[in-house]
Amino acid sequence: MPQARLNARTLFISDVHLGSRDCKAEFLLHLLKRVDVERLYLVGDIVDFWAMKRQIFWPDRHHQVLQQILAMARNGVEVIYIPGNHDEVMRKYRHPDVASIRIQRQAIHTTADNKRLLVMHGDAFDAETCHSRWLSFVGDHLYDFLLWLNRTTNRIRNLFGHNYWSLSAYVKSQIGKAEEVIGRYRAASFRETKKRGLDGIVCGHIHHPELVESDGLLYANTGDWVENCTALFENHDGELSLMKYTLSDAQPARLSRFRRRRRAYNNAA
């Protein structure tokens, strides 16, 4: 039976890392083909130019994701592209509109219930959060090894019919230093939101999906499509939900509810 289409006012995705071997392009492609939205925000690191400097990797599924985004723009979806650090070359692009896609350094998004949200990738907070120190702490080679192990683990899980599970995200969650960096990043995001007099912020960058409220301000991190396979939705009433893609591409794909450890806005599957 054909799966029901998803309908939302706005979809936010970030940290896809097309051009990287660890990008879950097949999951994202399935989502983009079955979602009806008015506006799509690409919140940085959509294409991983850093990875492609080391090795050119561009399989057909990665190309299909870009083609699907372009098709959505041609068919009337407002697509806003906010480059991140891995695709920062796009920040220098002289023409703000490319193939019906608007390129901006950041944006202010107004929800259906009139909440004003800052939309930015988030690498601007690195100096405050010591995110770069976290990367040094983990080490590029160790992180690459974790991602390789993640691919291997999920190939085995797939053979036995198990859902996709991120080993690399689990390992990072067990390291106290990671939680410390995430906390500083969240705090920096709240400070920027308050300084600008806005109601919240939508960002990515640190590959840690989260949707929390503090002192009346909203922090929404879209996560990524390398480890977590998550996206942020706004419905037509202005409610925000984090959605997590959980099934391997060998099984009928679907989106399931993202369960948070912290009390926050309700997520809806």
Side-chain angles (χ1 to χ4, degrees):
M1 290 181 63
Q3 292 181 323
R5 296 190 63 80
L6 298 170
N7 186 278
R9 183 172 184 261
T10 313
L11 172 62
F12 304 81
I13 60 174
S14 77
D15 299 272
V16 179
H17 292 277
L18 295 169
S20 163
R21 290 186 179 277
D22 299 291
C23 168
K24 305 300 183 294
E26 64 275 18
F27 293 175
L28 179 58
L29 183 62
H30 186 275
L31 167 63
L32 293 176
K33 284 186 171 182
R34 64 181 288 232
V35 67
D36 295 312
V37 293
E38 298 173 10
R39 185 178 291 107
L40 169 63
Y41 283 96
L42 307 172
V43 195
D45 287 1
I46 304 303
V47 177
D48 194 335
F49 290 102
W50 291 12
M52 289 195 291
K53 281 182 180 179
R54 297 192 298 267
Q55 181 183 21
I56 298 297
F57 179 76
W58 196 259
D60 188 55
R61 286 292 177 89
H62 292 212
H63 181 69
Q64 288 178 41
V65 168
L66 283 188
Q67 290 302 309
Q68 179 63 27
I69 291 171
L70 289 170
M72 292 170 73
R74 288 194 300 269
N75 291 328
V77 177
E78 183 182 2
V79 180
I80 301 169
Y81 180 15
I82 300 172
N85 51 318
H86 283 252
D87 49 11
E88 63 184 345
V89 64
M90 300 303 296
R91 290 173 173 169
K92 302 175 183 178
Y93 209 85
R94 293 184 178 182
H95 302 286
D97 294 290
V98 180
S100 301
I101 295 176
R102 175 161 291 275
I103 301 175
Q104 300 178 200
R105 295 294 291 268
Q106 53 189 240
I108 304 296
H109 173 72
T110 303
T111 64
D113 57 353
N114 292 316
K115 296 291 190 300
R116 297 175 70 238
L117 308 177
L118 173 64
V119 186
M120 59 187 296
H121 179 63
D123 57 304
F125 300 134
D126 278 357
E128 294 180 70
T129 63
C130 303
H131 182 252
S132 57
R133 292 183 189 176
W134 156 243
L135 291 177
S136 298
F137 174 77
V138 172
D140 287 338
H141 294 299
L142 176 57
Y143 185 58
D144 288 344
F145 172 72
L146 283 175
L147 292 177
W148 172 83
L149 197 58
N150 196 55
R151 293 196 301 270
T152 304
T153 300
N154 279 287
R155 278 197 292 267
I156 296 171
R157 289 174 62 84
N158 187 47
L159 290 174
F160 289 94
H162 295 303
N163 292 351
Y164 169 78
W165 175 71
S166 178
L167 173 65
S168 53
Y170 172 76
V171 171
K172 285 166 59 178
S173 72
Q174 301 305 303
I175 301 175
K177 186 72 173 180
E179 287 296 323
E180 181 183 336
V181 170
I182 291 166
R184 284 200 298 265
Y185 184 89
R186 188 189 311 113
S189 300
F190 277 130
R191 284 195 297 272
E192 185 67 19
T193 303
K194 188 174 183 179
K195 182 175 75 174
R196 298 197 189 201
L198 299 172
D199 299 300
I201 184 170
V202 177
C203 55
H205 187 48
I206 61 172
H207 295 203
H208 184 77
E210 196 170 22
L211 182 59
V212 297
E213 185 183 22
S214 177
D215 296 327
L217 300 178
L218 175 71
Y219 167 79
N221 194 299
T222 57
D224 64 278
W225 291 85
V226 171
E227 301 174 72
N228 296 289
C229 300
T230 49
L232 181 72
F233 285 80
E234 179 202 359
N235 68 17
H236 293 283
D237 295 323
E239 182 183 22
L240 295 171
S241 303
L242 267 176
M243 308 290 286
K244 183 175 180 68
Y245 196 110
T246 60
L247 296 183
S248 72
D249 59 344
Q251 298 173 320
R254 68 179 175 86
L255 290 171
S256 65
R257 182 176 290 110
F258 180 86
R259 300 184 185 278
R260 301 175 312 284
R261 289 176 297 173
R262 294 179 176 84
R263 184 178 179 184
Y265 285 81
N266 289 331
N267 289 325

